[in-house]
Amino acid sequence: MLKITVRTLEGEEHKLEADKGVALMEPLRDAGLIDATCGGMASCGTCHVYLSDGWTEKCGERTEDEGYMLEGLEDFVEIKPNSRLCCQIQLNESHDGIDMDIAPEA
Ligand code: FES
């Protein structure tokens, strides 16, 4: 199991676990921390997170759809270099210990 640390907007820290091969969005949604309204289609923006130092590089490039969605959110929430839609990150062994903050909703 991969370990995940995520902080809410209120600063509460949650420690989660997930199997490799699932989207990072799934454990966050299952824990009730995000809505993930579109179910992982990169079209709602409710799974926006800010990855902690070092994790942006480990998670690779944004997908094309993700980039468009984040651009669309820019007028409503702060989009940072470490902004990701966590539905677009498929977990593998290299993500063990991943750490992030949930972004404000648009
Ligand atoms: S779950 Fe909708 S954009 Fe990620």
Side-chain angles (χ1 to χ4, degrees):
M1 291 291 254
L2 306 173
K3 300 206 178 315
I4 299 165
T5 300
V6 56
R7 283 165 301 282
T8 65
L9 289 175
E10 294 76 31
E12 285 171 14
E13 187 170 278
H14 295 258
K15 302 276 190 190
L16 309 176
E17 290 188 333
D19 290 318
K20 61 185 177 184
V22 303
L24 175 57
M25 168 274 278
E26 294 184 33
L28 274 65
R29 178 199 57 199
D30 293 350
L33 299 176
I34 59 170
D35 289 336
T37 312
C38 74
M41 303 301 287
S43 60
C44 71
T46 61
C47 67
H48 178 198
V49 297
Y50 299 127
L51 296 175
S52 299
D53 285 352
W55 287 105
T56 304
E57 296 73 18
K58 287 184 192 169
C59 288
E61 297 290 315
R62 293 173 182 159
T63 66
E64 192 175 348
D65 288 346
E66 179 182 9
Y68 289 134
M69 187 66 226
L70 287 171
E71 266 178 38
L73 294 176
E74 228 160 12
D75 289 341
F76 310 102
V77 294
E78 186 179 8
I79 304 301
K80 304 180 184 181
N82 59 338
S83 285
R84 291 298 305 263
L85 297 179
C86 63
C87 67
Q88 300 299 298
I89 299 172
Q90 297 298 314
L91 292 172
N92 62 45
E93 302 80 12
S94 73
H95 295 121
D96 191 28
I98 193 167
D99 188 286
M100 75 211 72
D101 293 277
I102 294 174
E105 281 204 32

